[in-house]
Amino acid sequence: MNRQEYLKKLETCLGSMSYKEVKDILSEIDTHFVAGIAKGKTEEALADELGSPEYLARAYMEGTQLPKALRKQPEIKAAKQPVTDDSAVAKIFVVFFNLLVAIPLWLALLASIVVVGLMLLGAIAGLVALILALPSFGSFLAAGISLALAIVFANIVLAVILILGIKYFALGTKYYVGWNKKIWHNGF
């Protein structure tokens, strides 16, 4: 398959993505073809390196690993690189951003998760106490059962909030640490 055929088929396969994303991807793949041809490769060989347009489109849409031919090869760095002004500024930015913004924000989010967890434990303790006290309700038995059911529902809602809070807190922390590492090592 030549370059034009490959790009046309890839564009068709990327149809569900935004126009800008499709144009950026096609431009990147076209640049790959141009660079490969400059190195003496044929269009067909370059298309084979990339894999089928369907596979490549799926990799872009799902965010999975791209074919080896498109992955950036790490540049060989000198053993000791002097700290440039940009990397020093980036490191200072990361430290101050964490001290002034990120750490208080993460502490507030963690505190809210702890509060929801404590509320859940309190609601469970109240439910247990209510169930133990139900026989003494007498004529208020229907109201006691209704209250117990309301507390059970509240427990379910609090448990879902707690689970989602922990999940997204951990996910956010993972991405945040990665962002910090990227800025720390590569600068802005």
Side-chain angles (χ1 to χ4, degrees):
M1 177 178 314
N2 70 25
R3 176 166 106 188
Q4 292 305 323
E5 292 169 343
Y6 191 91
L7 291 172
K8 183 103 174 120
K9 182 124 181 165
L10 179 62
E11 182 177 15
T12 303
C13 294
L14 292 170
S16 64
M17 296 179 78
S18 75
Y19 177 79
K20 182 183 180 326
E21 289 175 321
V22 171
K23 289 302 172 194
D24 289 345
I25 292 169
L26 292 176
S27 174
E28 180 182 354
I29 301 303
D30 192 47
T31 302
H32 176 74
F33 272 102
V34 170
I37 291 169
K39 291 179 182 177
K41 295 182 180 180
T42 66
E43 290 182 354
E44 289 76 17
L46 291 166
D48 287 341
E49 282 180 4
L50 293 173
S52 73
E54 294 85 2
Y55 165 77
L56 188 58
R58 190 170 42 256
Y60 273 110
M61 289 189 289
E62 295 174 357
T64 57
Q65 194 169 28
L66 294 174
K68 188 175 182 179
L70 284 178
R71 285 185 241 146
K72 304 264 189 260
Q73 299 300 323
E75 296 176 15
I76 299 172
K77 296 182 179 181
K80 293 267 184 178
Q81 283 186 333
V83 176
T84 62
D85 289 339
D86 187 39
S87 66
V89 170
K91 289 177 182 180
I92 291 169
F93 168 76
V94 167
V95 169
F96 280 110
F97 184 81
N98 285 326
L99 288 175
L100 299 176
V101 178
I103 292 174
L105 175 66
W106 288 113
L107 288 176
L109 288 171
L110 183 60
S112 59
I113 290 172
V114 169
V115 166
V116 168
L118 292 174
M119 288 172 52
L120 180 60
L121 290 175
I124 290 171
L127 179 62
V128 169
L130 182 63
I131 290 172
L132 293 175
L134 273 179
S136 65
F137 271 69
S139 63
F140 296 106
L141 186 61
I145 292 174
S146 297
L147 183 59
L149 289 174
I151 291 175
V152 166
F153 179 72
N155 280 333
I156 292 170
V157 170
L158 286 174
V160 168
I161 290 171
L162 185 63
I163 290 168
L164 290 175
I166 290 170
K167 174 185 173 185
Y168 289 111
F169 184 81
L171 190 62
T173 301
K174 174 187 161 193
Y175 287 122
Y176 180 73
V177 168
W179 178 76
N180 269 316
K181 285 181 182 178
K182 179 182 168 214
I183 290 179
W184 186 268
H185 293 295
N186 302 332
F188 296 105

